[in-house]
Amino acid sequence: MSDSAPPSVLVIFAHPDPEASIVNAEMLLSILDLPNVTLHDLYAAYPNFFIDITKEQALLRQHDVIVFQHPLYMYSCPALLKEWMDVVLGQDFAYGKGRALQGKHWRSVISTGGAEEAYRLEGYNRCALNDILTPFRLTAELCQMHWLSPMVLYWARRVSADTRERHVIRYREWLQDPFAHYDEVLDDR
């Protein structure tokens, strides 16, 4: 990684009702002034789900780190983000004969409606969050991207303002220099 400028980061934000999410609103507000970060709100850009594949692929090519910021919906992501992945990360662009994303970095930034203990084998969801995120990790691997450990805020609506603020600060600091603590976030399963 370069010692000069921080890597370019594309934050792909997907939330169908962003006004209802305090933590996501705070996270986005905290990064608007970061010169190395491009914020891309999928629901604002594509309210009718008609995705401009060429534009999206160009955005991906221009960035080193791709962040997928979204709430956990039904053990996955919001519908528009899934549609985006299906049409944008296509064969011969991101995998198969295509290698456009090879060597780039993927990080999922997730907010959940449940407590951390709910994401255990013995918990309410009967599954660890890392297991739930396996399709995302496998997609990153298919695209020959480096999978970075997810950044998660559990029980986002119920955490204290102090916990939420610490999460927002941690997110902003990481985006300013995503590779400062690379070994801590690289997940080479």
Side-chain angles (χ1 to χ4, degrees), residues 99-115:
R99 299 279 188 260
L101 305 179
Q102 183 175 11
K104 294 183 184 282
H105 295 77
W106 174 312
R107 191 166 200 195
S108 292
V109 176
I110 309 289
S111 55
T112 75

Side-chain angles (χ1 to χ4, degrees), residues 53-77:
I53 297 168
T54 303
K55 176 184 171 187
E56 297 302 309
Q57 290 176 344
L59 268 174
L60 289 169
R61 282 187 180 98
Q62 296 167 13
H63 294 85
D64 305 307
V65 179
I66 314 301
V67 174
F68 295 92
Q69 181 181 338
H70 61 88
L72 192 67
Y73 267 37
M74 297 300 291
Y75 306 104
S76 188
C77 60

Side-chain angles (χ1 to χ4, degrees), residues 119-179:
Y119 294 93
R120 296 187 181 138
L121 288 177
E122 64 282 354
Y124 176 81
N125 294 303
R126 301 183 329 229
C127 196
L129 187 60
N130 278 340
D131 293 335
I132 292 168
L133 296 177
T134 296
F136 300 98
R137 182 177 52 82
L138 292 174
T139 301
E141 290 173 10
L142 179 68
C143 297
Q144 298 184 11
M145 296 174 74
H146 301 285
W147 174 257
L148 302 177
S149 297
M151 179 179 281
V152 182
L153 182 63
Y154 292 96
W155 225 347
R157 291 181 157 271
R158 297 186 181 187
V159 296
S160 69
D162 185 54
T163 298
R164 192 171 60 245
E165 182 180 348
R166 282 194 313 272
H167 181 76
V168 169
I169 290 168
R170 194 172 122 232
Y171 182 52
R172 179 184 167 82
E173 287 174 350
W174 174 74
L175 285 171
Q176 287 175 306
D177 192 357
F179 302 133

